């Protein structure tokens, strides 16, 4: 993890945080897969109760983010991304671990996520302790029309 990295927690429709998130999302998500969200999609989720966004910054520059939505004692990691030039430096792992800490502080006992079966982040999720739950064949459709399987993962957290 780079020295000086800050992790900033945001709830509600914080314009600056959403702008930073969109900057990272645009750079991080390959357009082939059609996984990047639009600003209206992000804003719509950010106003929902139980939603939080953690943005990783270095010298005020956004390097990555994690977006989570919770209901009662469960939550879902909706998005996790790191700018391509900053991958492989522990930022994704730092964001994920901080997201899990935040969830535990809120009394959440489990986190779920869904990921394209070909996504390299699966290694990170398994390293942290997420366990494979099931596969959804042909769940995602890329911008090229190709179908991709989704894998569901879950981690149970001791309070």
């Amino acid at each position: 993890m780079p020295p000086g990295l800050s992790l900033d927690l945001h709830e509600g429709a914080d314009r600056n945080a959403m702008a930073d998130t969109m900057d990272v999302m645009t750079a991080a998500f390959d357009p082939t897969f059609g996984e990047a969200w639009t600003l209206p999609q992000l804003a719509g989720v950010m106003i929902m109760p139980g939603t939080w966004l953690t943005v990783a910054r270095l010298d005020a520059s956004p390097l990555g983010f994690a977006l989570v939505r919770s209901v009662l004692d469960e939550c879902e990691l909706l998005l996790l991304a790191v700018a391509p030039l900053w991958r492989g430096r522990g930022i994704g792992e730092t964001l994920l671990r901080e997201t899990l800490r935040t969830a535990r502080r809120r009394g959440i006992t489990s986190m779920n996520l869904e990921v394209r079966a070909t996504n390299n982040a699966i290694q990170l999720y398994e390293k942290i302790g997420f366990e494979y739950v099931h596969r959804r064949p042909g769940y995602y459709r890329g911008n090229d029309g190709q179908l991709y399987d989704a894998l569901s993962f879950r981690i149970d957290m001791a309070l």
Side-chain angles (χ1 to χ4, degrees):
M1 181 176 76
L5 185 74
S6 67
L7 300 176
D8 303 312
L9 180 70
H10 303 275
E11 296 179 271
D14 180 302
R15 288 179 187 245
N16 292 331
M18 289 192 304
D20 285 349
T21 298
M22 292 308 299
D23 287 347
V24 172
M25 194 164 346
T26 301
F29 288 98
D30 185 334
T32 302
F33 302 112
E35 297 165 332
W37 289 18
T38 63
L39 181 57
Q41 287 172 314
L42 178 60
V45 169
M46 286 301 299
I47 61 171
M48 296 173 75
T51 301
W52 74 89
L53 173 68
T54 305
V55 180
R57 294 184 177 92
L58 184 63
D59 297 328
S61 296
L63 306 183
F65 70 88
L67 178 64
V68 178
R69 175 181 55 196
S70 65
V71 176
L72 300 174
D73 64 345
E74 292 189 337
C75 67
E76 179 181 10
L77 178 65
L78 298 172
L79 293 170
L80 175 69
V82 175
L85 293 176
W86 290 92
R87 290 182 183 155
R89 300 184 197 195
I91 295 168
E93 182 174 344
T94 299
L95 278 163
L96 186 53
R97 289 187 187 281
E98 181 61 23
T99 297
L100 290 167
R101 278 190 290 276
T102 300
R104 284 185 192 102
R105 283 192 301 269
R106 293 173 182 224
I108 294 169
T109 59
S110 65
M111 181 180 285
N112 300 287
L113 66 87
E114 205 159 71
V115 62
R116 178 178 26 85
T118 57
N119 191 319
N120 291 333
I122 292 168
Q123 295 170 343
L124 171 61
Y125 301 138
E126 291 176 332
K127 174 184 176 183
I128 298 294
F130 281 84
E131 295 181 355
Y132 170 81
V133 176
H134 68 276
R135 176 182 293 263
R136 293 182 183 194
Y139 184 76
Y140 294 114
R141 180 180 303 275
N143 284 334
D144 60 0
Q146 185 173 340
L147 296 176
Y148 300 91
D149 292 356
L151 303 181
S152 295
F153 287 85
R154 176 183 178 94
I155 189 168
D156 290 315
M157 303 177 286
L159 290 178

mmCIF file of all heavy atoms in Angstrom, residues 87-129:
data_model
loop_
_atom_site.group_PDB
_atom_site.id
_atom_site.type_symbol
_atom_site.label_atom_id
_atom_site.label_comp_id
_atom_site.label_asym_id
_atom_site.label_seq_id
_atom_site.Cartn_x
_atom_site.Cartn_y
_atom_site.Cartn_z
ATOM 1 N N ARG A 87 -2.862 -0.756 -9.792
ATOM 2 C CA ARG A 87 -3.162 -2.148 -9.450
ATOM 3 C C ARG A 87 -1.899 -2.881 -9.015
ATOM 4 O O ARG A 87 -0.791 -2.538 -9.414
ATOM 5 C CB ARG A 87 -3.799 -2.856 -10.643
ATOM 6 C CG ARG A 87 -5.186 -2.342 -10.913
ATOM 7 C CD ARG A 87 -5.857 -3.051 -12.049
ATOM 8 N NE ARG A 87 -7.162 -2.454 -12.297
ATOM 9 C CZ ARG A 87 -7.785 -2.490 -13.443
ATOM 10 N NH1 ARG A 87 -7.244 -3.124 -14.472
ATOM 11 N NH2 ARG A 87 -8.955 -1.918 -13.573
ATOM 12 N N GLY A 88 -2.092 -3.891 -8.177
ATOM 13 C CA GLY A 88 -0.972 -4.703 -7.726
ATOM 14 C C GLY A 88 -0.181 -4.074 -6.593
ATOM 15 O O GLY A 88 0.904 -4.543 -6.257
ATOM 16 N N ARG A 89 -0.716 -3.019 -5.990
ATOM 17 C CA ARG A 89 -0.009 -2.327 -4.894
ATOM 18 C C ARG A 89 -0.757 -2.424 -3.563
ATOM 19 O O ARG A 89 -0.469 -1.676 -2.640
ATOM 20 C CB ARG A 89 0.208 -0.867 -5.259
ATOM 21 C CG ARG A 89 1.034 -0.710 -6.523
ATOM 22 C CD ARG A 89 1.298 0.737 -6.795
ATOM 23 N NE ARG A 89 1.729 0.923 -8.171
ATOM 24 C CZ ARG A 89 2.294 2.020 -8.607
ATOM 25 N NH1 ARG A 89 2.520 3.020 -7.797
ATOM 26 N NH2 ARG A 89 2.641 2.129 -9.861
ATOM 27 N N GLY A 90 -1.750 -3.305 -3.502
ATOM 28 C CA GLY A 90 -2.471 -3.527 -2.255
ATOM 29 C C GLY A 90 -3.640 -2.592 -2.009
ATOM 30 O O GLY A 90 -4.268 -2.651 -0.948
ATOM 31 N N ILE A 91 -3.980 -1.745 -2.965
ATOM 32 C CA ILE A 91 -5.067 -0.788 -2.760
ATOM 33 C C ILE A 91 -6.419 -1.500 -2.732
ATOM 34 O O ILE A 91 -7.265 -1.217 -1.872
ATOM 35 C CB ILE A 91 -5.028 0.326 -3.826
ATOM 36 C CG1 ILE A 91 -3.745 1.132 -3.650
ATOM 37 C CG2 ILE A 91 -6.268 1.215 -3.735
ATOM 38 C CD1 ILE A 91 -3.430 2.068 -4.784
ATOM 39 N N GLY A 92 -6.637 -2.441 -3.635
ATOM 40 C CA GLY A 92 -7.889 -3.190 -3.640
ATOM 41 C C GLY A 92 -8.077 -3.970 -2.352
ATOM 42 O O GLY A 92 -9.164 -3.967 -1.759
ATOM 43 N N GLU A 93 -7.021 -4.620 -1.896
ATOM 44 C CA GLU A 93 -7.096 -5.371 -0.645
ATOM 45 C C GLU A 93 -7.363 -4.433 0.538
ATOM 46 O O GLU A 93 -8.177 -4.744 1.417
ATOM 47 C CB GLU A 93 -5.809 -6.152 -0.409
ATOM 48 C CG GLU A 93 -5.861 -6.988 0.851
ATOM 49 C CD GLU A 93 -4.654 -7.895 1.037
ATOM 50 O OE1 GLU A 93 -3.898 -8.127 0.064
ATOM 51 O OE2 GLU A 93 -4.479 -8.373 2.169
ATOM 52 N N THR A 94 -6.709 -3.289 0.552
ATOM 53 C CA THR A 94 -6.923 -2.315 1.627
ATOM 54 C C THR A 94 -8.372 -1.828 1.628
ATOM 55 O O THR A 94 -9.013 -1.744 2.679
ATOM 56 C CB THR A 94 -5.954 -1.125 1.472
ATOM 57 O OG1 THR A 94 -4.615 -1.624 1.552
ATOM 58 C CG2 THR A 94 -6.168 -0.079 2.541
ATOM 59 N N LEU A 95 -8.902 -1.517 0.461
ATOM 60 C CA LEU A 95 -10.302 -1.091 0.361
ATOM 61 C C LEU A 95 -11.243 -2.189 0.835
ATOM 62 O O LEU A 95 -12.198 -1.925 1.581
ATOM 63 C CB LEU A 95 -10.635 -0.722 -1.086
ATOM 64 C CG LEU A 95 -10.245 0.664 -1.544
ATOM 65 C CD1 LEU A 95 -10.256 0.753 -3.068
ATOM 66 C CD2 LEU A 95 -11.161 1.710 -0.939
ATOM 67 N N LEU A 96 -10.994 -3.413 0.417
ATOM 68 C CA LEU A 96 -11.869 -4.518 0.791
ATOM 69 C C LEU A 96 -11.831 -4.767 2.292
ATOM 70 O O LEU A 96 -12.870 -4.931 2.937
ATOM 71 C CB LEU A 96 -11.491 -5.779 0.011
ATOM 72 C CG LEU A 96 -12.408 -6.985 0.179
ATOM 73 C CD1 LEU A 96 -13.863 -6.645 -0.090
ATOM 74 C CD2 LEU A 96 -11.936 -8.110 -0.741
ATOM 75 N N ARG A 97 -10.639 -4.775 2.869
ATOM 76 C CA ARG A 97 -10.528 -4.989 4.322
ATOM 77 C C ARG A 97 -11.208 -3.857 5.104
ATOM 78 O O ARG A 97 -11.871 -4.092 6.116
ATOM 79 C CB ARG A 97 -9.073 -5.145 4.729
ATOM 80 C CG ARG A 97 -8.471 -6.472 4.275
ATOM 81 C CD ARG A 97 -7.073 -6.686 4.838
ATOM 82 N NE ARG A 97 -6.435 -7.855 4.277
ATOM 83 C CZ ARG A 97 -6.676 -9.104 4.662
ATOM 84 N NH1 ARG A 97 -7.561 -9.341 5.604
ATOM 85 N NH2 ARG A 97 -6.043 -10.116 4.090
ATOM 86 N N GLU A 98 -11.055 -2.620 4.638
ATOM 87 C CA GLU A 98 -11.707 -1.489 5.307
ATOM 88 C C GLU A 98 -13.225 -1.599 5.186
ATOM 89 O O GLU A 98 -13.957 -1.289 6.133
ATOM 90 C CB GLU A 98 -11.218 -0.163 4.735
ATOM 91 C CG GLU A 98 -11.830 1.058 5.377
ATOM 92 C CD GLU A 98 -11.533 1.183 6.871
ATOM 93 O OE1 GLU A 98 -10.533 0.605 7.357
ATOM 94 O OE2 GLU A 98 -12.322 1.858 7.558
ATOM 95 N N THR A 99 -13.701 -2.036 4.056
ATOM 96 C CA THR A 99 -15.138 -2.229 3.856
ATOM 97 C C THR A 99 -15.678 -3.283 4.813
ATOM 98 O O THR A 99 -16.752 -3.111 5.401
ATOM 99 C CB THR A 99 -15.395 -2.622 2.384
ATOM 100 O OG1 THR A 99 -14.985 -1.524 1.552
ATOM 101 C CG2 THR A 99 -16.848 -2.906 2.126
ATOM 102 N N LEU A 100 -14.930 -4.349 5.008
ATOM 103 C CA LEU A 100 -15.347 -5.387 5.957
ATOM 104 C C LEU A 100 -15.346 -4.846 7.391
ATOM 105 O O LEU A 100 -16.265 -5.138 8.171
ATOM 106 C CB LEU A 100 -14.448 -6.619 5.837
ATOM 107 C CG LEU A 100 -14.623 -7.430 4.549
ATOM 108 C CD1 LEU A 100 -13.488 -8.423 4.377
ATOM 109 C CD2 LEU A 100 -15.970 -8.127 4.540
ATOM 110 N N ARG A 101 -14.340 -4.042 7.748
ATOM 111 C CA ARG A 101 -14.304 -3.430 9.090
ATOM 112 C C ARG A 101 -15.516 -2.517 9.299
ATOM 113 O O ARG A 101 -16.156 -2.537 10.356
ATOM 114 C CB ARG A 101 -13.008 -2.637 9.295
ATOM 115 C CG ARG A 101 -11.819 -3.488 9.707
ATOM 116 C CD ARG A 101 -10.634 -2.633 10.140
ATOM 117 N NE ARG A 101 -10.006 -1.909 9.040
ATOM 118 C CZ ARG A 101 -9.080 -2.436 8.231
ATOM 119 N NH1 ARG A 101 -8.658 -3.665 8.400
ATOM 120 N NH2 ARG A 101 -8.556 -1.702 7.263
ATOM 121 N N THR A 102 -15.827 -1.715 8.294
ATOM 122 C CA THR A 102 -16.978 -0.820 8.380
ATOM 123 C C THR A 102 -18.258 -1.631 8.559
ATOM 124 O O THR A 102 -19.111 -1.288 9.386
ATOM 125 C CB THR A 102 -17.075 0.073 7.127
ATOM 126 O OG1 THR A 102 -15.882 0.854 7.016
ATOM 127 C CG2 THR A 102 -18.285 0.989 7.183
ATOM 128 N N ALA A 103 -18.387 -2.706 7.803
ATOM 129 C CA ALA A 103 -19.573 -3.555 7.915
ATOM 130 C C ALA A 103 -19.697 -4.132 9.330
ATOM 131 O O ALA A 103 -20.786 -4.104 9.924
ATOM 132 C CB ALA A 103 -19.510 -4.674 6.875
ATOM 133 N N ARG A 104 -18.603 -4.630 9.863
ATOM 134 C CA ARG A 104 -18.634 -5.192 11.228
ATOM 135 C C ARG A 104 -19.049 -4.143 12.254
ATOM 136 O O ARG A 104 -19.829 -4.426 13.163
ATOM 137 C CB ARG A 104 -17.270 -5.768 11.591
ATOM 138 C CG ARG A 104 -16.983 -7.097 10.936
ATOM 139 C CD ARG A 104 -15.651 -7.688 11.442
ATOM 140 N NE ARG A 104 -15.259 -8.803 10.619
ATOM 141 C CZ ARG A 104 -14.330 -8.763 9.670
ATOM 142 N NH1 ARG A 104 -13.656 -7.653 9.427
ATOM 143 N NH2 ARG A 104 -14.050 -9.837 8.956
ATOM 144 N N ARG A 105 -18.518 -2.929 12.119
ATOM 145 C CA ARG A 105 -18.882 -1.848 13.051
ATOM 146 C C ARG A 105 -20.375 -1.538 12.992
ATOM 147 O O ARG A 105 -20.954 -1.051 13.963
ATOM 148 C CB ARG A 105 -18.082 -0.573 12.753
ATOM 149 C CG ARG A 105 -16.656 -0.610 13.247
ATOM 150 C CD ARG A 105 -16.000 0.768 13.199
ATOM 151 N NE ARG A 105 -15.967 1.371 11.886
ATOM 152 C CZ ARG A 105 -14.971 1.237 11.000
ATOM 153 N NH1 ARG A 105 -13.903 0.512 11.294
ATOM 154 N NH2 ARG A 105 -15.029 1.838 9.840
ATOM 155 N N ARG A 106 -20.994 -1.811 11.857
ATOM 156 C CA ARG A 106 -22.429 -1.542 11.677
ATOM 157 C C ARG A 106 -23.294 -2.746 12.069
ATOM 158 O O ARG A 106 -24.498 -2.730 11.838
ATOM 159 C CB ARG A 106 -22.690 -1.151 10.227
ATOM 160 C CG ARG A 106 -22.057 0.180 9.887
ATOM 161 C CD ARG A 106 -22.160 0.501 8.420
ATOM 162 N NE ARG A 106 -21.493 1.770 8.176
ATOM 163 C CZ ARG A 106 -21.994 2.736 7.416
ATOM 164 N NH1 ARG A 106 -23.144 2.576 6.815
ATOM 165 N NH2 ARG A 106 -21.322 3.850 7.258
ATOM 166 N N GLY A 107 -22.674 -3.784 12.608
ATOM 167 C CA GLY A 107 -23.427 -4.955 13.037
ATOM 168 C C GLY A 107 -23.768 -5.917 11.919
ATOM 169 O O GLY A 107 -24.614 -6.799 12.082
ATOM 170 N N ILE A 108 -23.105 -5.778 10.803
ATOM 171 C CA ILE A 108 -23.347 -6.661 9.660
ATOM 172 C C ILE A 108 -22.569 -7.956 9.866
ATOM 173 O O ILE A 108 -21.406 -7.931 10.271
ATOM 174 C CB ILE A 108 -22.960 -5.943 8.350
ATOM 175 C CG1 ILE A 108 -23.922 -4.762 8.142
ATOM 176 C CG2 ILE A 108 -22.966 -6.894 7.171
ATOM 177 C CD1 ILE A 108 -23.530 -3.815 7.048
ATOM 178 N N THR A 109 -23.216 -9.070 9.585
ATOM 179 C CA THR A 109 -22.600 -10.371 9.847
ATOM 180 C C THR A 109 -22.191 -11.125 8.587
ATOM 181 O O THR A 109 -21.515 -12.152 8.686
ATOM 182 C CB THR A 109 -23.548 -11.260 10.670
ATOM 183 O OG1 THR A 109 -24.775 -11.427 9.948
ATOM 184 C CG2 THR A 109 -23.829 -10.636 12.029
ATOM 185 N N SER A 110 -22.581 -10.638 7.416
ATOM 186 C CA SER A 110 -22.143 -11.297 6.187
ATOM 187 C C SER A 110 -22.116 -10.307 5.029
ATOM 188 O O SER A 110 -22.856 -9.321 5.017
ATOM 189 C CB SER A 110 -23.050 -12.478 5.833
ATOM 190 O OG SER A 110 -24.350 -12.017 5.530
ATOM 191 N N MET A 111 -21.213 -10.570 4.092
ATOM 192 C CA MET A 111 -21.103 -9.764 2.882
ATOM 193 C C MET A 111 -21.160 -10.697 1.685
ATOM 194 O O MET A 111 -20.520 -11.750 1.674
ATOM 195 C CB MET A 111 -19.796 -8.961 2.861
ATOM 196 C CG MET A 111 -19.646 -8.076 1.617
ATOM 197 S SD MET A 111 -18.095 -7.127 1.579
ATOM 198 C CE MET A 111 -18.452 -5.863 2.804
ATOM 199 N N ASN A 112 -21.924 -10.293 0.693
ATOM 200 C CA ASN A 112 -22.057 -11.040 -0.556
ATOM 201 C C ASN A 112 -21.484 -10.212 -1.692
ATOM 202 O O ASN A 112 -21.433 -8.985 -1.612
ATOM 203 C CB ASN A 112 -23.533 -11.330 -0.846
ATOM 204 C CG ASN A 112 -24.175 -12.140 0.241
ATOM 205 O OD1 ASN A 112 -23.914 -13.318 0.372
ATOM 206 N ND2 ASN A 112 -25.003 -11.502 1.055
ATOM 207 N N LEU A 113 -21.106 -10.895 -2.745
ATOM 208 C CA LEU A 113 -20.694 -10.201 -3.959
ATOM 209 C C LEU A 113 -20.916 -11.119 -5.144
ATOM 210 O O LEU A 113 -21.016 -12.336 -5.005
ATOM 211 C CB LEU A 113 -19.229 -9.758 -3.889
ATOM 212 C CG LEU A 113 -18.133 -10.815 -3.848
ATOM 213 C CD1 LEU A 113 -17.715 -11.256 -5.253
ATOM 214 C CD2 LEU A 113 -16.928 -10.266 -3.109
ATOM 215 N N GLU A 114 -21.023 -10.503 -6.298
ATOM 216 C CA GLU A 114 -21.145 -11.243 -7.531
ATOM 217 C C GLU A 114 -20.108 -10.676 -8.493
ATOM 218 O O GLU A 114 -19.910 -9.457 -8.548
ATOM 219 C CB GLU A 114 -22.555 -11.060 -8.092
ATOM 220 C CG GLU A 114 -22.979 -12.183 -8.989
ATOM 221 C CD GLU A 114 -24.483 -12.228 -9.085
ATOM 222 O OE1 GLU A 114 -25.047 -11.334 -9.714
ATOM 223 O OE2 GLU A 114 -25.073 -13.171 -8.527
ATOM 224 N N VAL A 115 -19.456 -11.560 -9.243
ATOM 225 C CA VAL A 115 -18.347 -11.145 -10.083
ATOM 226 C C VAL A 115 -18.347 -11.969 -11.370
ATOM 227 O O VAL A 115 -18.735 -13.140 -11.364
ATOM 228 C CB VAL A 115 -17.008 -11.283 -9.302
ATOM 229 C CG1 VAL A 115 -16.743 -12.718 -8.916
ATOM 230 C CG2 VAL A 115 -15.849 -10.704 -10.065
ATOM 231 N N ARG A 116 -17.936 -11.341 -12.452
ATOM 232 C CA ARG A 116 -17.778 -12.063 -13.715
ATOM 233 C C ARG A 116 -16.743 -13.166 -13.521
ATOM 234 O O ARG A 116 -15.691 -12.946 -12.922
ATOM 235 C CB ARG A 116 -17.347 -11.081 -14.816
ATOM 236 C CG ARG A 116 -17.111 -11.706 -16.163
ATOM 237 C CD ARG A 116 -16.723 -10.663 -17.223
ATOM 238 N NE ARG A 116 -16.082 -9.467 -16.722
ATOM 239 C CZ ARG A 116 -14.777 -9.356 -16.491
ATOM 240 N NH1 ARG A 116 -13.955 -10.364 -16.685
ATOM 241 N NH2 ARG A 116 -14.281 -8.213 -16.032
ATOM 242 N N ALA A 117 -17.015 -14.338 -14.028
ATOM 243 C CA ALA A 117 -16.170 -15.515 -13.785
ATOM 244 C C ALA A 117 -14.741 -15.345 -14.290
ATOM 245 O O ALA A 117 -13.841 -16.046 -13.822
ATOM 246 C CB ALA A 117 -16.799 -16.757 -14.402
ATOM 247 N N THR A 118 -14.501 -14.409 -15.195
ATOM 248 C CA THR A 118 -13.155 -14.199 -15.743
ATOM 249 C C THR A 118 -12.428 -13.024 -15.086
ATOM 250 O O THR A 118 -11.348 -12.641 -15.530
ATOM 251 C CB THR A 118 -13.226 -13.969 -17.263
ATOM 252 O OG1 THR A 118 -14.081 -12.847 -17.529
ATOM 253 C CG2 THR A 118 -13.762 -15.196 -17.988
ATOM 254 N N ASN A 119 -13.002 -12.462 -14.040
ATOM 255 C CA ASN A 119 -12.429 -11.288 -13.382
ATOM 256 C C ASN A 119 -11.269 -11.709 -12.468
ATOM 257 O O ASN A 119 -11.419 -12.584 -11.617
ATOM 258 C CB ASN A 119 -13.513 -10.574 -12.574
ATOM 259 C CG ASN A 119 -13.094 -9.223 -12.070
ATOM 260 O OD1 ASN A 119 -11.970 -9.041 -11.615
ATOM 261 N ND2 ASN A 119 -14.015 -8.273 -12.116
ATOM 262 N N ASN A 120 -10.125 -11.056 -12.617
ATOM 263 C CA ASN A 120 -8.942 -11.372 -11.809
ATOM 264 C C ASN A 120 -9.128 -11.087 -10.321
ATOM 265 O O ASN A 120 -8.370 -11.603 -9.491
ATOM 266 C CB ASN A 120 -7.726 -10.598 -12.315
ATOM 267 C CG ASN A 120 -7.275 -11.076 -13.670
ATOM 268 O OD1 ASN A 120 -7.484 -12.233 -14.029
ATOM 269 N ND2 ASN A 120 -6.678 -10.195 -14.449
ATOM 270 N N ALA A 121 -10.123 -10.284 -9.966
ATOM 271 C CA ALA A 121 -10.358 -9.945 -8.553
ATOM 272 C C ALA A 121 -10.790 -11.153 -7.734
ATOM 273 O O ALA A 121 -10.732 -11.118 -6.504
ATOM 274 C CB ALA A 121 -11.399 -8.839 -8.436
ATOM 275 N N ILE A 122 -11.196 -12.224 -8.382
ATOM 276 C CA ILE A 122 -11.610 -13.428 -7.657
ATOM 277 C C ILE A 122 -10.490 -13.903 -6.729
ATOM 278 O O ILE A 122 -10.754 -14.322 -5.600
ATOM 279 C CB ILE A 122 -12.035 -14.538 -8.648
ATOM 280 C CG1 ILE A 122 -13.331 -14.118 -9.348
ATOM 281 C CG2 ILE A 122 -12.201 -15.877 -7.939
ATOM 282 C CD1 ILE A 122 -13.700 -14.978 -10.535
ATOM 283 N N GLN A 123 -9.264 -13.801 -7.166
ATOM 284 C CA GLN A 123 -8.127 -14.205 -6.322
ATOM 285 C C GLN A 123 -8.093 -13.393 -5.031
ATOM 286 O O GLN A 123 -7.824 -13.934 -3.960
ATOM 287 C CB GLN A 123 -6.808 -14.045 -7.085
ATOM 288 C CG GLN A 123 -6.694 -14.959 -8.275
ATOM 289 C CD GLN A 123 -5.495 -14.615 -9.144
ATOM 290 O OE1 GLN A 123 -4.919 -13.537 -9.053
ATOM 291 N NE2 GLN A 123 -5.117 -15.552 -10.003
ATOM 292 N N LEU A 124 -8.355 -12.105 -5.121
ATOM 293 C CA LEU A 124 -8.377 -11.244 -3.939
ATOM 294 C C LEU A 124 -9.512 -11.659 -3.008
ATOM 295 O O LEU A 124 -9.306 -11.795 -1.799
ATOM 296 C CB LEU A 124 -8.532 -9.779 -4.336
ATOM 297 C CG LEU A 124 -8.791 -8.796 -3.192
ATOM 298 C CD1 LEU A 124 -7.637 -8.786 -2.194
ATOM 299 C CD2 LEU A 124 -9.051 -7.398 -3.745
ATOM 300 N N TYR A 125 -10.692 -11.866 -3.551
ATOM 301 C CA TYR A 125 -11.835 -12.237 -2.716
ATOM 302 C C TYR A 125 -11.563 -13.541 -1.966
ATOM 303 O O TYR A 125 -11.852 -13.649 -0.770
ATOM 304 C CB TYR A 125 -13.104 -12.366 -3.558
ATOM 305 C CG TYR A 125 -13.466 -11.095 -4.295
ATOM 306 C CD1 TYR A 125 -13.913 -11.124 -5.603
ATOM 307 C CD2 TYR A 125 -13.351 -9.845 -3.684
ATOM 308 C CE1 TYR A 125 -14.242 -9.964 -6.284
ATOM 309 C CE2 TYR A 125 -13.672 -8.674 -4.359
ATOM 310 C CZ TYR A 125 -14.123 -8.750 -5.655
ATOM 311 O OH TYR A 125 -14.439 -7.597 -6.323
ATOM 312 N N GLU A 126 -10.988 -14.506 -2.642
ATOM 313 C CA GLU A 126 -10.683 -15.784 -1.986
ATOM 314 C C GLU A 126 -9.588 -15.611 -0.935
ATOM 315 O O GLU A 126 -9.653 -16.207 0.143
ATOM 316 C CB GLU A 126 -10.302 -16.827 -3.030
ATOM 317 C CG GLU A 126 -11.476 -17.234 -3.894
ATOM 318 C CD GLU A 126 -11.129 -18.201 -5.007
ATOM 319 O OE1 GLU A 126 -9.974 -18.195 -5.487
ATOM 320 O OE2 GLU A 126 -12.028 -18.951 -5.415
ATOM 321 N N LYS A 127 -8.601 -14.784 -1.220
ATOM 322 C CA LYS A 127 -7.527 -14.524 -0.258
ATOM 323 C C LYS A 127 -8.076 -13.933 1.042
ATOM 324 O O LYS A 127 -7.632 -14.277 2.137
ATOM 325 C CB LYS A 127 -6.508 -13.563 -0.876
ATOM 326 C CG LYS A 127 -5.415 -13.106 0.075
ATOM 327 C CD LYS A 127 -4.499 -12.087 -0.585
ATOM 328 C CE LYS A 127 -3.468 -11.560 0.383
ATOM 329 N NZ LYS A 127 -2.634 -10.515 -0.231
ATOM 330 N N ILE A 128 -9.062 -13.053 0.928
ATOM 331 C CA ILE A 128 -9.651 -12.386 2.084
ATOM 332 C C ILE A 128 -10.550 -13.343 2.876
ATOM 333 O O ILE A 128 -10.792 -13.134 4.054
ATOM 334 C CB ILE A 128 -10.454 -11.140 1.630
ATOM 335 C CG1 ILE A 128 -9.535 -10.121 0.959
ATOM 336 C CG2 ILE A 128 -11.232 -10.509 2.770
ATOM 337 C CD1 ILE A 128 -8.509 -9.505 1.856
ATOM 338 N N GLY A 129 -11.033 -14.387 2.228
ATOM 339 C CA GLY A 129 -11.878 -15.358 2.925
ATOM 340 C C GLY A 129 -13.276 -15.536 2.362
ATOM 341 O O GLY A 129 -14.096 -16.255 2.942
#
